């Protein structure tokens, strides 16, 4: 039994019923604070209205608005602290409670990402509203402010229905901003971006371009003018975007250009998949079968071993490592094509550290989604023709 470190504490002593144990402190997370305060505001407003408690309007409206304001402050700090560590802010990030100054710092950062710009702009109406009544988080917490004046002296009414509707919009804006910032940094780690365009922006630009084979035609100039206008790019910024696009396997593929894989050929992959399709019917473990089917399974086990041996004989360690990397690129959304070469070499080092690679081969060839994931991975990596064959 875990020792109760706070046996006499009114809030933190243990309870035999662990159903309502909440994770805090060392088991908590920064994002729990953001989600918690906006959820608290929304739940309170919905509860007062849903339970028809008009007598609670005047008292609960204050914590509702304060929680909303604090959620905004927390998400701004969440963003700014990460941007400061990446040296992407124009000014020093100093912690205080001024949500307007925080928002302005975020807005002027010029992060080169259209989605982030939209999500930052979506917060502005809420920043304008709550900073007008509470610059530093005091007015919503105290009846009288630091100057001993009545808090919110210019306001007399607040409608909870209006507040609840706005809280739902605010909650989405906070969530969108937070998740996009996380994705933004994951994308930057690939190195595929420019000062003006994030990786997502470059993908969007690529979709607007004609195939590379048509770049000497008027349609390219038409696309260029439209892209420069839509993304607010100068001529030099557009050229930087084009250079980044041409350096990306995935984007070159979108423009009709094929790029060879690191170690394995298309012909070898087709041969492997052909052999693997004969293996699939033997991949059900005997523990999942009835007695009659177990006899059949054992009879087919030798066939399975033979196919596995044939597959191993077909492949070098380098080719098997390549297949692993392509498979996981196709299967996992968080795995970018820019990580492909490093992943293939990582797996190769792992394979070469063992006396044989049968276990690595079995691990891969037992995947029921091998062909479909390879097709997706191949498409991202520049093997367009082969990807279509496997689809």
């Amino acid at each position: 039994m875990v020792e109760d470190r706070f046996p006499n504490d009114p809030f933190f002593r243990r309870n035999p019923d662990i159903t309502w144990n909440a994770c805090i402190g060392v088991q908590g997370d920064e994002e729990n604070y953001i989600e918690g305060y906006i959820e608290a505001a929304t739940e309170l407003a919905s509860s007062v209205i849903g339970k028809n408690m008009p007598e609670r309007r005047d008292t609960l409206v204050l914590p509702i608005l304060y929680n909303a304001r604090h959620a905004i402050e927390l998400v701004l700090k969440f963003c700014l602290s990460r941007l400061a560590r990446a040296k992407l802010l124009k000014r020093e990030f100093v912690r205080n409670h001024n949500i307007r100054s925080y928002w302005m710092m975020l807005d002027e950062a010029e992060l080169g990402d259209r989605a982030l710009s939209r999500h930052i702009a979506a917060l502005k109406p809420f920043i304008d509203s709550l900073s007008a009544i509470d610059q530093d988080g005091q007015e919503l917490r105290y009846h009288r402010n630091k100057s001993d004046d009545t808090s919110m002296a210019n306001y007399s009414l607040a409608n909870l229905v209006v507040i609840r509707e706005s809280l739902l919009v605010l909650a989405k804006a906070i969530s969108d901003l937070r998740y996009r910032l996380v994705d933004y940094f994951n994308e930057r780690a690939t190195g595929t971006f420019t000062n003006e365009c994030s990786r997502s922006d470059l993908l969007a630009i690529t979709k607007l371009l004609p195939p590379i084979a048509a770049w000497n035609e008027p349609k390219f100039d038409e696309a260029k003018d439209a892209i420069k206008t839509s993304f607010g790019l100068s001529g030099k910024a557009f050229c930087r975007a084009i250079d980044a696009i041409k350096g990306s396997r995935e984007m070159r593929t979108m423009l009709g250009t094929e790029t060879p894989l690191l170690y394995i050929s298309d012909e070898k992959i087709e041969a492997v998949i052909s052999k693997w399709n004969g293996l699939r019917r033997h991949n059900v473990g005997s523990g999942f079968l009835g007695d009659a089917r177990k006899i059949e399974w054992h009879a087919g086990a030798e066939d399975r071993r033979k196919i596995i041996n044939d597959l191993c004989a077909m492949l070098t360690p380098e080719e098997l490592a390549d297949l692993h990397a392509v498979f996981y690129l196709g299967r996992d959304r968080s795995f970018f094509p820019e990580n492909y070469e490093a992943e293939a070499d990582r797996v190769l080092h792992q394979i070469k550290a063992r006396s044989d690679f049968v276990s690595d081969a079995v691990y891969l060839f037992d995947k029921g989604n091998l062909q479909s994931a390879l097709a997706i991975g191949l498409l991202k990596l520049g093997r367009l023709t082969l990807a279509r064959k496997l689809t």
Side-chain angles (χ1 to χ4, degrees), residues 264-280:
I264 194 167
S265 68
D266 291 5
E267 294 75 21
K268 184 63 69 70
I269 292 177
E270 288 188 84
V272 165
I273 289 300
S274 177
K275 181 70 70 174
W276 173 80
N277 277 317
L279 179 68
R280 284 191 299 169

Side-chain angles (χ1 to χ4, degrees), residues 55-221:
E55 70 278 6
R56 302 287 178 86
R57 292 171 304 189
D58 297 345
T59 53
L60 291 183
V61 68
L62 300 170
I64 288 170
L65 289 172
Y66 176 76
N67 283 338
R69 187 195 184 283
H70 196 55
I72 292 173
E73 180 179 328
L74 291 175
V75 77
L76 291 174
K77 286 179 175 177
F78 175 86
C79 295
L80 291 170
S81 62
R82 284 155 178 77
L83 293 169
R85 286 198 295 269
K87 297 183 173 16
L88 292 173
L89 296 178
K90 292 184 175 181
R91 291 185 280 138
E92 182 183 0
F93 171 46
V94 179
R95 291 181 178 273
N96 53 48
H97 303 286
N98 190 325
I99 58 175
R100 182 180 292 280
S101 68
Y102 278 162
W103 182 86
M104 290 175 65
M105 190 181 302
L106 192 59
D107 184 54
E108 69 185 19
E110 296 181 0
L111 301 174
D113 183 79
R114 287 208 304 177
L116 271 178
S117 296
R118 287 197 303 271
H119 299 323
I120 293 167
L123 283 181
K124 188 174 187 299
F126 304 101
I127 300 290
D128 290 343
S129 174
L130 293 178
S131 63
I133 64 170
D134 196 336
Q135 282 284 352
D136 58 2
Q138 295 289 320
E139 307 265 328
L140 288 169
R141 287 191 293 167
Y142 304 107
H143 175 59
R144 305 193 75 80
N145 59 29
K146 289 185 290 187
S147 302
D148 202 30
D149 297 323
T150 301
S151 294
M152 297 181 286
N154 294 327
Y155 295 78
S156 58
L157 293 173
N159 186 283
L160 283 182
V161 172
V162 171
I163 290 173
R164 182 179 63 172
E165 290 173 355
S166 294
L167 285 173
L168 295 174
V169 178
L170 174 60
K172 185 177 185 306
I174 287 174
S175 177
D176 288 346
L177 175 59
R178 181 162 56 90
Y179 284 120
R180 179 56 203 153
L181 190 83
V182 172
D183 288 343
Y184 173 78
F185 277 112
N186 288 336
E187 292 174 12
R188 280 184 74 85
T190 67
T192 304
F193 63 90
T194 70
N195 289 338
E196 301 82 14
C197 298
S198 65
R199 190 179 191 280
S200 289
D201 289 339
L202 292 172
L203 280 169
I205 289 171
T206 303
K207 293 176 182 177
L208 299 174
L209 289 167
I212 288 179
W215 280 15
N216 289 326
E217 300 176 13
K219 64 177 69 175
F220 176 79
D221 293 324

